[in-house]
Amino acid sequence: MIIGFGNDLCNIERIQGSLDRFGEKFEKRCFTEGEIAKARKRMRTAETYAKRFAAKEACAKALGTGVPRRGVHWKMMEVINLPSGKPTLSLTEGAAKRLAEITPDGYVAHVHLTMTDDHPWAEAQVIIEAHPS
C-alpha cells in the first residue's frame, strides 16, 4: 500500500544562484558529504544539486512534514544510488523516525525515487510503499 507521495519542482538557476552567493555554506546546510562529492565530480553541478534538493522536498512531503519540520531536516535525507544505478533515499535521524511513525505495524517501508531535469527545471517524485513484513 502507498503510505506517502511527494513531488517537487526546483529551478536550477535558483540553485546556481545559491551556490554563487553562499557556496560551501549552502552545500553543507542542505547536502550530505556523499551528495557534495558526487555533485563536485559532475560538469553540471547545479543540475545535480537541484535534482537532489527536489528529491528531499518530495521526500519530506511524502513523509507529511515539509522541511524543516517535525524533526526532518535536509541532511537526514540522502540521495544514494543502488548498485543498479537506480536512485533512492537513505533516511536517518528525524526522517527515519517519521518514516517509522507512518509505517503500519507489521509492515516494512520502501522508498521509491525518480528524478529528472530539463533546464531550467529539476523534478523529483517520491513514493513510499508499505509491504507486509
Side-chain angles (χ1 to χ4, degrees):
M1 81 176 83
I2 294 175
I3 59 173
F5 176 78
N7 181 52
D8 193 69
L9 186 64
C10 181
N11 186 288
I12 295 166
E13 293 171 3
R14 181 173 68 98
I15 295 298
Q16 184 63 61
S18 293
L19 289 167
D20 293 343
R21 185 169 178 200
F22 301 108
E24 195 171 295
K25 184 177 177 182
F26 170 69
E27 290 174 308
K28 288 188 174 189
R29 179 173 181 253
C30 297
F31 303 100
T32 65
E33 292 300 319
E35 290 169 322
I36 293 169
K38 180 170 281 233
R40 288 182 179 174
K41 288 180 186 175
R42 301 233 169 121
M43 290 180 55
R44 297 173 38 192
T45 304
E47 286 86 343
T48 300
Y49 280 133
K51 285 188 286 191
R52 280 151 182 77
F53 194 89
K56 292 168 186 259
E57 285 276 11
C59 183
K61 291 172 184 175
L63 291 170
T65 63
V67 180
R69 291 208 173 97
R70 297 183 67 181
V72 176
H73 299 278
W74 300 110
K75 292 171 76 170
M76 295 175 187
M77 301 170 283
E78 179 179 21
V79 175
I80 60 169
N81 293 89
L82 299 175
S84 66
K86 178 182 176 182
T88 190
L89 286 147
S90 172
L91 306 183
T92 61
E93 300 174 57
K97 181 181 175 192
R98 178 63 182 155
L99 180 62
E101 289 171 0
I102 67 171
T103 304
D105 290 339
Y107 284 74
V108 176
H110 298 275
V111 179
H112 302 278
L113 168 65
T114 185
M115 304 180 296
T116 190
D117 68 275
D118 186 9
H119 196 85
W121 301 107
E123 188 264 348
Q125 292 184 11
V126 171
I127 297 173
I128 303 174
E129 275 189 297
H131 297 278
S133 54

